[in-house]
Amino acid sequence: MASAQNRAPKVSVLLLFFFVYHFCLSSNRVSAQSSPVFACDIGKNPSLAQFAFCNTSLGTAARVGDLVKRLTLQQKIGFLVNAAGNVDSLGIPKYEWWSEALHGVSYVGPGTHFSSVVPGATSFPQVILTAASFNASLFEAIGKVVSTEARAMYNVGLAGLTFWSPNINIFRDPRWGRGQETPGEDPLLSSKYGSGYVKGLQQRDDGDQDRLKVAACCKHYTAYDLDNWKGVDRYHFNAVVTKQDMDDTFQPPFKSCVIDGNVASVMCSYNQVNGKPTCADPDLLSGVIRGEWKLNGYIVSDCDSLDVFYNSQHYTKTPEEAAAKAILAGLDLNCGSFLSKHTEAAVKGGLVDETAIDKAISNNFATLMRLGFFDGDPNKQLYGKLGPKDVCTPENQELAREAARQGIVLLKNAAGSLPLSPTAIKTLAVIGPNANVTKTMIGNYEGTPCKYTTPLQGLTASVATVYQPGCSNVACSTAQLDDAKKIAASSDATVLVMGADQSIEAESRDRVDLHLPGQQSLLISAVANVSKGPVILVIMSGGGMDISFAKNDNKIKSILWVGYPGEAGGAAIADVIFGYYNPSGRLPMTWYPQSYADKVPMTNMNMRPDPSNGYPGRTYRFYTGETIYSFGDGLGYSQVVHRLVKAPKLVSVPLEEGHVCHSSSCKSIDTAENSCQNLAFDIHLGVKNTGRMSGAHTIFLFSTPPSVHNSPQKHLLGFEKVFLEAQTEALVRFNVDVCKDLSVVDEFGSRKVALGLHVLHVGSLKHSLNVRV
């Protein structure tokens, strides 16, 4: 998704015009309007009752079919773009499809606005930190709150019903500016996050599976994870991806979003994949999303993607051909105006026929029907009573604080330096360019939050503090060492709040190195060297940093990573530092040394290492080099021990008589085999908190498969978040599906059950399991 300030020059002018034009049209309406946009207002216009598409007793397909046949070609084309047209004679108003809700209702996109009626919405942590909670029920709970606030804003004319979130791209490279928006580097975590958040957004309280609370959108499909790195930008990048990496790494989150989450929309990306723009690739759109995965909804382009593949990538000779290729590939909606300008000429030129346009707008209309847009007055529907009172409630804001607490990762805690005692600390030095920030805490695709609690405010609520920024901003071109050293030398403890912000990592801005910006490391070391008490380093960032100097500095007792922790971030940081909360977050991505960035180009999409040229591979699943911190790292204030209670040592896959693997040696068998279906077993674990403090604990079940088909060195089969009182044990059960969990993707993109020895890991516990026929 692009916004006006960060597009390539040609496209930025287009979008700027679009925003200004839309604002001029809508600014009066926003301040005055206090009712939602909807079709079939039979109360005001009784003649609309004659139309079958306004008849709520009919099925969606019948209603959509009736509506489409009443439209002229020009009217149909008006429904192919995000600023959808109106048809007054049919009681259909203009509708704006583009709203965002990445981690709270956002003001990015012209479909949503804040005003004196609703001045802000709950701003949850940026996704990368929420993912670090490894708590699937939390992902869904946040989605539910966001959709309630979205519906409340829709009811007073401040939001639409279609939200282009979540971003479930794999965080493949630590330099990617948009990694902060994603659930991290692991396909399983990204899948669980995507389907969970989508369910929270979409599922209605009456349990009606055919209807939607709001419509979510999984993006950016697919293999999109480079924005602007050393002169290579997303508008011109061709991601060369092997079939194995595609099906093993990049596709699983999207598959889960559609199949498990039943998402209403998928957004295709700017980049090409293996020479084809994703928004013009019939195999990816019609073939996979709609064909294999059976999407019940619409496919939308990233903003101006069609303009990009015509004007920047020169994929077609004419704009009409570009319009036709996108529609024929399976695109239903164009964010931008390209299809409104060029589709009619494409039809008249015989490049695409009207039935293809009917198909596209039918998918769009069906989504709006499921949202109740064509059911008349929303105030008389399920969510009609929601309003400003339901936004920024104390409960919603408390969930934002809880989400930040659950995600915060304790990376180092020498000799139990944390938690600090609020009674023993008389003065706390608080230093750093992110120590008193507000907007930095919410990352990008943000809305106006209900309120902010900065780290300094959060810490000051418990103890007396003295504050020095140490740097004028995160770029920290000149560190102000003297004042910072002075307060650290005279305080009982020091908290340094460092890291990044959107000037360092953002959409259209990838990093070129992994160091802390500017003179931040100089400031940290100088302060640590003179500090009277323990030094706690807090890193606020989306991506990982090479902070090996701090990890190895004995004066720096503790390190916390806090992502971009949302509106209540400062309160959550203080909760962890003072021990009101026992940290349980775990890293959702690998933290690499600077040597990785020096050696590995962002443009190399290969996940697997290549020993022939020293390429080390990517993510914990394949990377063979040194790390600063690893995926899944994180400490708590209590020791937790794991005990294996029950697990099989042998699993036999039954095969039909005469199967080739009975008579010859097989390394793997295809998961499509009937005998593989419904083959599962349970693993039971005892998990004991041996410490004095109660708290949540994240349990990971990893597997190291046999080394066949270039399989991962280990991969995540499941995770559970369990709350444990001090000195108590809980029993945790993992259900392992043999076809799904013990399979690997082969070189041709087919999923195979690997035969041989699988090693299951939970913490330091290892269990060997033999899979054979």
Side-chain angles (χ1 to χ4, degrees):
M1 181 67 61
S3 55
Q5 74 266 26
N6 54 28
R7 289 301 308 270
K10 178 186 292 189
V11 188
S12 67
V13 174
L14 263 173
L15 257 181
L16 190 60
F17 169 78
F18 171 71
F19 276 130
V20 171
Y21 173 71
H22 187 90
F23 182 76
C24 294
L25 280 181
S26 62
S27 55
N28 293 333
R29 176 180 66 77
V30 170
S31 54
Q33 185 175 325
S34 58
S35 59
V37 176
F38 63 95
C40 297
D41 190 352
I42 293 166
K44 276 195 183 157
N45 185 354
S47 69
L48 299 176
Q50 67 181 303
F51 298 130
F53 71 82
C54 288
N55 183 347
T56 57
S57 67
L58 295 176
T60 300
R63 295 175 73 189
V64 170
D66 177 74
L67 172 53
V68 171
K69 76 178 188 206
R70 296 178 188 278
L71 301 172
T72 65
L73 175 62
Q74 286 79 7
Q75 287 169 336
K76 289 172 182 176
I77 289 166
F79 293 108
L80 291 171
V81 291
N82 65 287
N86 57 305
V87 183
D88 294 339
S89 60
L90 298 178
I92 304 171
K94 283 179 161 45
Y95 176 72
E96 176 52 68
W97 286 80
W98 180 4
S99 291
E100 303 271 357
L102 182 68
H103 51 106
V105 180
S106 168
Y107 48 56
V108 176
T112 307
H113 309 266
F114 291 98
S115 74
S116 56
V117 180
V118 180
T122 308
S123 189
F124 289 92
Q126 182 60 294
V127 176
I128 193 71
L129 189 73
T130 295
S133 73
F134 284 89
N135 183 348
S137 62
L138 178 67
F139 307 156
E140 194 166 333
I142 293 172
K144 195 168 181 180
V145 165
V146 174
S147 59
T148 296
E149 295 196 349
R151 270 282 176 179
M153 290 177 67
Y154 168 72
N155 287 345
V156 291
L158 292 171
L161 293 167
T162 46
F163 290 84
W164 293 345
S165 307
N167 177 346
I168 54 165
N169 293 117
I170 293 293
F171 195 175
R172 172 186 64 96
D173 190 290
R175 293 162 287 192
W176 188 31
R178 302 191 74 174
Q180 57 178 298
E181 300 172 33
T182 76
E185 70 181 35
D186 180 68
L188 179 77
L189 174 60
S190 299
S191 297
K192 297 270 192 203
Y193 178 85
S195 59
Y197 189 63
V198 164
K199 285 174 187 172
L201 287 176
Q202 293 192 165
Q203 287 182 353
R204 286 165 49 113
D205 295 275
D206 61 3
D208 188 338
Q209 292 296 314
D210 292 328
R211 311 279 287 181
L212 296 165
K213 188 178 177 188
V214 303
C217 172
C218 288
K219 64 187 190 185
H220 312 79
Y221 181 81
T222 183
Y224 165 67
D225 51 23
L226 178 149
D227 266 61
N228 194 346
W229 178 79
K230 294 190 175 180
V232 180
D233 72 40
R234 58 188 176 172
Y235 309 119
H236 301 87
F237 181 55
N238 175 30
V240 178
V241 187
T242 66
K243 191 79 182 92
Q244 186 171 32
D245 285 341
M246 187 67 118
D247 290 341
D248 181 50
T249 295
F250 299 110
Q251 295 290 68
F254 291 98
K255 183 177 184 179
S256 179
C257 223
V258 176
I259 294 173
D260 305 325
N262 193 23
V263 76
S265 175
V266 173
M267 177 184 285
C268 52
S269 54
Y270 290 115
N271 56 293
Q272 296 188 358
V273 175
N274 298 329
K276 280 189 188 172
T278 62
C279 294
D281 189 335
D283 295 331
L284 284 176
L285 305 188
S286 298
V288 176
I289 301 179
R290 205 169 284 288
E292 286 177 35
W293 301 342
K294 309 284 184 250
L295 173 74
N296 179 17
Y298 69 100
I299 299 173
V300 61
S301 73
D302 204 341
C303 291
D304 291 328
S305 282
L306 277 65
D307 186 274
V308 165
F309 82 63
Y310 170 62
N311 275 313
S312 300
Q313 298 174 1
H314 309 296
Y315 187 66
T316 61
K317 289 192 169 65
T318 67
E320 295 79 17
E321 198 187 339
K325 271 198 182 296
I327 293 166
L328 291 170
L331 188 78
D332 303 307
L333 189 75
N334 165 211
C335 177
S337 56
F338 197 88
L339 288 184
S340 62
K341 291 175 184 166
H342 303 296
T343 303
E344 190 172 354
V347 173
K348 288 181 173 161
L351 297 170
V352 62
D353 61 26
E354 200 167 337
T355 55
I357 290 156
D358 292 351
K359 202 168 155 186
I361 60 169
S362 293
N363 292 325
N364 300 340
F365 286 140
T367 306
L368 291 176
M369 297 268 178
R370 294 172 68 204
L371 286 159
F373 186 82
F374 285 92
D375 293 356
D377 188 352
N379 292 317
K380 296 178 178 152
Q381 296 177 42
L382 179 60
Y383 295 106
K385 299 291 178 278
L386 294 173
K389 70 181 189 314
D390 300 293
V391 183
C392 286
T393 65
E395 297 79 12
N396 294 358
Q397 293 191 65
E398 183 54 35
L399 185 63
R401 180 172 179 169
E402 175 62 21
R405 283 194 292 235
Q406 287 198 28
I408 289 172
V409 183
L410 178 63
L411 291 168
K412 177 182 178 180
N413 197 23
S417 300
L418 288 182
L420 296 181
S421 161
T423 50
I425 302 284
K426 301 301 175 218
T427 56
L428 180 71
V430 182
I431 297 166
N434 280 336
N436 201 29
V437 290
T438 53
K439 202 164 185 295
T440 297
M441 292 198 302
I442 57 177
N444 67 357
Y445 283 84
E446 75 284 14
T448 304
C450 313
K451 63 179 187 199
Y452 284 111
T453 306
T454 72
L456 179 62
Q457 288 169 335
L459 295 164
T460 304
S462 283
V463 295
T465 56
V466 280
Y467 162 63
Q468 281 292 336
C471 303
S472 58
N473 53 37
V474 290
C476 197
S477 54
T478 312
Q480 291 104 46
L481 298 179
D482 293 345
D483 292 337
K485 284 160 70 175
K486 192 172 165 187
I487 64 168
S490 60
S491 298
D492 298 321
T494 298
V495 175
L496 285 149
V497 192
M498 314 300 285
D501 65 10
Q502 301 303 306
S503 71
I504 303 296
E505 50 179 5
E507 182 169 8
S508 292
R509 183 175 292 120
D510 298 328
R511 289 187 287 156
V512 290
D513 71 58
L514 304 180
H515 293 305
L516 286 169
Q519 294 189 351
Q520 283 193 36
S521 51
L522 174 70
L523 174 65
I524 293 165
S525 297
V527 165
N529 202 35
V530 299
S531 277
K532 183 173 93 171
V535 177
I536 297 105
L537 173 61
V538 176
I539 303 290
M540 195 180 288
S541 70
M545 302 280 187
D546 183 345
I547 52 166
S548 44
F549 76 95
K551 181 182 178 181
N552 299 326
D553 187 336
N554 294 331
K555 296 274 185 102
I556 297 168
K557 299 298 183 191
S558 309
I559 300 175
L560 290 164
W561 174 70
V562 301
Y564 293 119
E567 64 168 43
I573 290 166
D575 289 341
V576 170
I577 285 176
F578 290 116
Y580 309 133
Y581 188 87
N582 191 343
S584 60
R586 299 291 181 264
L587 283 184
M589 73 300 202
T590 303
W591 285 32
Y592 300 89
Q594 175 58 32
S595 56
Y596 179 89
D598 294 336
K599 190 161 75 169
V600 177
M602 258 192 97
T603 47
N604 187 332
M605 297 294 292
N606 292 333
M607 300 304 296
R608 288 158 167 81
D610 184 349
S612 72
N613 59 14
Y615 180 68
R618 295 182 180 276
T619 78
Y620 81 95
R621 295 167 72 228
F622 302 106
Y623 175 62
T624 52
E626 295 295 312
T627 62
I628 306 300
Y629 289 107
S630 301
F631 175 89
D633 277 0
L635 307 167
Y637 294 150
S638 303
Q639 278 294 107
V640 173
V641 294
H642 306 99
R643 174 172 70 84
L644 187 65
V645 177
K646 178 188 165 191
K649 286 196 161 77
L650 174 70
V651 172
S652 293
V653 183
L655 296 178
E656 291 109 18
E657 268 185 71
H659 193 286
V660 65
C661 292
H662 284 307
S663 53
S664 59
S665 175
C666 291
K667 291 190 294 187
S668 62
I669 55 163
D670 205 303
T671 56
E673 303 269 359
N674 289 333
S675 55
C676 190
Q677 307 311 310
N678 305 317
L679 198 59
F681 60 87
D682 282 347
I683 291 178
H684 292 195
L685 294 159
V687 183
K688 185 173 184 180
N689 177 353
T690 62
R692 293 197 300 269
M693 188 185 279
S694 60
H697 177 66
T698 302
I699 303 136
F700 296 116
L701 176 63
F702 288 105
S703 164
T704 297
S707 52
V708 296
H709 306 303
N710 274 328
S711 58
Q713 49 199 6
K714 74 172 185 175
H715 62 142
L716 188 60
L717 302 190
F719 56 87
E720 286 292 333
K721 191 104 171 182
V722 58
F723 186 85
L724 298 166
E725 295 287 350
Q727 300 294 320
T728 64
E729 185 177 59
L731 195 67
V732 176
R733 182 178 72 91
F734 286 100
N735 183 258
V736 179
D737 180 316
V738 174
C739 290
K740 201 170 149 195
D741 298 322
L742 299 184
S743 60
V744 296
V745 172
D746 73 9
E747 297 78 355
F748 306 103
S750 300
R751 199 159 268 285
K752 303 282 180 77
V753 175
L755 298 176
L757 205 64
H758 295 250
V759 180
L760 305 179
H761 320 234
V762 178
S764 58
L765 204 66
K766 286 193 165 91
H767 174 73
S768 295
L769 170 76
N770 200 1
V771 178
R772 66 181 196 200
V773 295

